[in-house]
Amino acid sequence: MNTRKAWVAGRFYPEQPDRLIDMVRHLLKKESKLIDYSLGKHQILGGIVPHAGYMYSGYEAVHLYELIRYSEIDFDTILILHPNHTISMGEDLSVTASDAWETPLGKLEVDLEFAKLLNLPMNRLAHQNEHSAEVQLPFLQLFLRQGFKILPICMNHQTVNCALKLAGLIVKTNQILKRNLLVLASSDFSHYLAPDLAYRQDQHVVKAICEFDTEQIFNKVKRHGISVCGFGPIMTLVAYSRMLHKDAIAKVLRRGNSGDRKASDSVVDYLSILFYRPKFA
């Protein structure tokens, strides 16, 4: 089996399994009273989740993952849409070339059938040293029931056209395979700004997300120079959700910044946002 080894274990999250489990338990204990469990009763489509070190963005991330756990939905495949921080690639989109990804908690099998039907280039380098998909895996292993597969998809070029293309490919592929999908958009928000400025900048994007306006997400990022590193995956999740369900809702679960953990006048913003289709009693 061609396995992609953990790259940021020991840096973004603990390398020892017991310490990793203890850290996530600590994060959940700290945040549990703030989690709106009623949202877990709806049909969860996916979510936006940060990808910084757990000590910084884990407090936001556990809100999304705990609601997924609480929903008791058995997902077949988790698509992890992520940006490219590490290497310039020619193709717009690429899927992992590995059969499995490994973390300190074990291996996760890649959904190779889904990858094949997407008919996108496979690229090992685009994923090899990229942290933004990897940091989601221990959360998935700890919060979801066993048996699911993953498919990391790297957006090398974050444009509206790429987002719409990928969203359409996901919908078309799953019309054939009929997987119970969870789609994650891995992204941090504004980088290295004063906390109040970062909040104001990001609010432009959050508003467009909640209005499911893919083009406005792109326009706001470019017009205001907002350093949302995964705006391509976010646009894809927005487009995908609305392609499936016109009544889809995006709900901000938790927002904070690195200054909440270590006081600073230059922070990175983190948000977790749930995408769901409402169920009515």
Side-chain angles (χ1 to χ4, degrees), residues 172-190:
K172 182 179 179 181
T173 299
N174 208 39
Q175 287 172 345
I176 299 170
L177 295 179
K178 302 188 185 306
R179 302 281 200 261
N180 195 2
L181 288 183
L182 177 71
V183 180
L184 299 179
S186 179
S187 182
D188 296 337
F189 279 69
S190 282

Side-chain angles (χ1 to χ4, degrees), residues 82-254:
H82 64 91
N84 185 343
H85 294 86
T86 58
I87 188 169
S88 178
M89 307 303 301
E91 64 265 18
D92 293 334
L93 304 159
S94 56
V95 297
T96 179
S98 300
D99 302 321
W101 284 39
E102 188 173 41
T103 80
L105 302 177
K107 292 182 180 180
L108 287 170
E109 188 177 347
V110 171
D111 191 335
L112 298 175
E113 187 178 14
F114 205 100
K116 183 177 180 180
L117 282 182
L118 282 175
N119 196 29
L120 293 172
M122 290 187 172
N123 192 313
R124 189 182 316 278
L125 290 177
H127 298 86
Q128 181 173 309
N129 298 336
E130 175 61 47
H131 65 278
S132 55
E134 179 185 330
V135 296
Q136 310 307 335
L137 302 185
F139 283 120
L140 292 171
Q141 289 170 302
L142 290 171
F143 284 86
L144 272 68
R145 297 181 184 181
Q146 294 182 357
F148 63 90
K149 295 182 180 181
I150 62 167
L151 182 58
I153 303 175
C154 181
M155 297 194 71
N156 300 304
H157 298 145
Q158 303 188 71
T159 66
V160 174
N161 285 340
C162 284
L164 294 177
K165 174 185 175 181
L166 180 54
L169 285 173
I170 293 169
V171 171
K172 182 179 179 181
T173 299
N174 208 39
Q175 287 172 345
I176 299 170
L177 295 179
K178 302 188 185 306
R179 302 281 200 261
N180 195 2
L181 288 183
L182 177 71
V183 180
L184 299 179
S186 179
S187 182
D188 296 337
F189 279 69
S190 282
H191 288 63
Y192 311 120
L193 298 177
D196 56 343
L197 177 57
Y199 187 97
R200 292 197 304 272
Q201 289 277 79
D202 289 337
Q203 195 58 28
H204 293 295
V205 182
V206 171
K207 184 175 184 292
I209 290 169
C210 293
E211 293 174 352
F212 286 80
D213 194 330
T214 304
E215 290 194 4
Q216 275 303 307
I217 294 170
F218 183 86
N219 291 339
K220 294 296 185 181
V221 166
K222 295 301 180 180
R223 185 180 306 153
H224 297 281
I226 305 171
S227 50
V228 179
C229 55
F231 66 94
I234 290 172
M235 291 190 297
T236 305
L237 175 58
V238 165
Y240 163 80
S241 299
R242 272 295 161 88
M243 286 178 184
L244 284 184
H245 303 294
K246 297 300 183 184
D247 59 349
I249 294 172
K251 172 73 173 179
V252 175
L253 303 177
R254 174 78 152 86

